[in-house]
Amino acid sequence: MNEQDVLQKLNTAVTHATPNQLDDILSRCQERKGTVIPMTNNQPKKHWLRYAIAACLSLVLVGAAAGGFLLHQAKTVTSVVSLDVNPSIQLQVNNSEKVLKVQALNAEAREVLADMPLEGTHLNVAVNAIVGSLLQHGYLDSISSAILISVEDTNQQRAEKLQQELTDQVGSALAGQQSQASILSQTLTSDQQLQDQAAENNISVGKASLIQTIQQNGDFTFDQLAALSVEELSQMAKAQATQMPIGRDKALEIAKTHADLLSISALTQEVDPELDEVPPHYEVELHHNGLEYEYKIHAYTGEIIYSSSQKDDDDATPPSTGTTDIGTEKAKSIALEAAGVTASQVQNLRVERDYDDGRLEYEIEFYVGSTEYDYVISGVDGTILEQDVEQEGGSHTTQPTQPTQPTQPTQPSQPSAGSDIGAEKAKSIALSHAGFTASQVQSLKVEKDYDDGRLEYEVEFYAGTTEYDYTISGTDGTILKQDKEEHGGSQTTQPSAGSDIGAEKAKSIALSDAGFTASQVQNLQVEKDNDDGRLEYQVEFRVGSTEYEYTISANDGTILEKDIDKD
């Protein structure tokens, strides 16, 4: 092989190993020739050229290897990130967090991704785009919505770091859109069986891992659980469910059948699972022909445990074109000014634009410390229509207002003398309408209130297992609203003397379950209550930014319900 053949093969090798770098490498080889030690005269003249070519070839091979290594590293998948709501999306990324491949694992995911060119972008950019599309498609607009972030990596330290970064990033994106969807996250190690099950069911490995956890609690098949959303799965895991729920579609069918809307296609519908509440249920809302239907469907039996229908405010005619809209920022400013705080001093600020009987309004909620503020602001002129201030665990101040100037909200004037029918009259009207006397009902409550400056009485009572709720006009006795809810089962009598565990014992049970002592918590509140004839203790406290709520049976100390909420 002559020198020309060597150079030709060198050219071919470099071109394939590190494209576009041949000239650079050869130029360095040329410089290298100048440093070759001269040979003695007794050696053949052409030997120096062979040594130079060998040296250049060595450099080329080293450069090619380095370039090949970098190219290999750039194309090597180091982490697999999955985002699951009901849409399941999987991202393969390299060591520099560059997205190498995007996979839509089901039809919903394909709709969310549409034609977004995410391959080749940084992971942060891709995740922000996906979360934005999920919000736009309505997958994260419910307070009970949940998104699962999973990171699969052979390097556990890298996986945990990426998991935390993505959790913070998604949290910021949701907060920016006033979404209260919860975020679940986990890290995974490679598991071939899990990967096979995920592929068979067109879901991510992250969702498959969550399903495996739930299968430990009951006799569930993998494909049954794969059909549920992350929202349902996370609630089942929290409640340690042992049964298979009926699912959203079945709950919707039951509600539409009861409302005689099963054959109607032109209606608005929404289904939210509440599988970690007592009793576990699906909340179904239907809007059709000026009416709003609300249902609670038992998540395991399919029983209708609550139903109501009323005039649908959402169908009210919006203001005519040209009506002034003060805008979100102005409404927020008015509420903050009325509360005497700035935006930097509040937490969990939410602003919602709505129509009430055709009237444009902004509903604004926020916290300052442990105090919650709620405002309803006229979207036309900035009038504060209603305001409510509530201290967690105790004091509560409702301040409905008559139309006022935005900067000077005032308390509404009380009804004139003689225009208040009184609590006894309101109670009598409600009982008469329901067909009972006071001696025939239990847990009778009457509360005086104001709604948009209108005097009202809220009357509640039980007759057997049926709960009745009335809203009575305080000025003329008109029944403004009525509701009847069947709770099922027999109503228990009051516990016998001596069967009450007491507030201290209830407090001790809740603290023990949460793993804290009384000195480690803040805002500890214990309240005794009667729910459907069942004596209970409501125990609430905070640890840092996390709020704990327990419902404890006063008879035997059983934890009937618990809720942990991180601000």
Side-chain angles (χ1 to χ4, degrees), residues 22 42 55 119 347 404 481 505 541 547 560:
L22 176 61
N42 61 352
E119 292 182 356
Q347 305 87 40
T404 63
K481 185 178 179 182
K505 181 64 175 176
F541 54 87
E547 180 180 7
L560 303 173

Side-chain angles (χ1 to χ4, degrees), residues 145-258:
S145 301
I147 181 171
L148 173 65
I149 303 170
S150 306
V151 180
E152 182 182 1
D153 198 315
T154 55
N155 185 322
Q156 185 65 21
Q157 185 177 2
R158 182 171 57 199
E160 291 175 356
K161 178 176 178 292
L162 191 55
Q163 173 201 16
Q164 187 59 54
E165 289 175 354
L166 292 176
T167 301
D168 293 342
Q169 181 185 346
V170 172
S172 297
L174 295 179
Q177 296 297 319
Q178 284 82 48
S179 170
Q180 292 191 7
S182 59
I183 303 173
L184 313 174
S185 62
Q186 60 182 350
T187 59
L188 307 171
T189 54
S190 181
D191 184 329
Q192 189 58 51
Q193 180 184 358
L194 200 63
Q195 291 174 359
D196 293 342
Q197 286 180 311
E200 289 172 10
N201 290 273
N202 295 321
I203 60 175
S204 73
V205 177
K207 185 174 179 180
S209 177
L210 179 58
I211 289 173
Q212 275 193 348
T213 302
I214 297 171
Q215 282 186 301
Q216 299 172 11
N217 298 328
D219 187 19
F220 306 109
T221 64
F222 193 93
D223 59 337
Q224 281 180 317
L225 294 173
L228 300 179
S229 67
V230 167
E231 186 177 0
E232 292 167 289
L233 293 173
S234 64
Q235 291 176 5
M236 288 180 68
K238 181 179 179 182
Q240 297 184 334
T242 59
Q243 303 177 58
M244 188 68 193
I246 61 174
R248 293 170 181 262
D249 291 342
K250 184 62 178 177
L252 180 61
E253 178 188 338
I254 291 170
K256 290 172 72 173
T257 299
H258 184 272

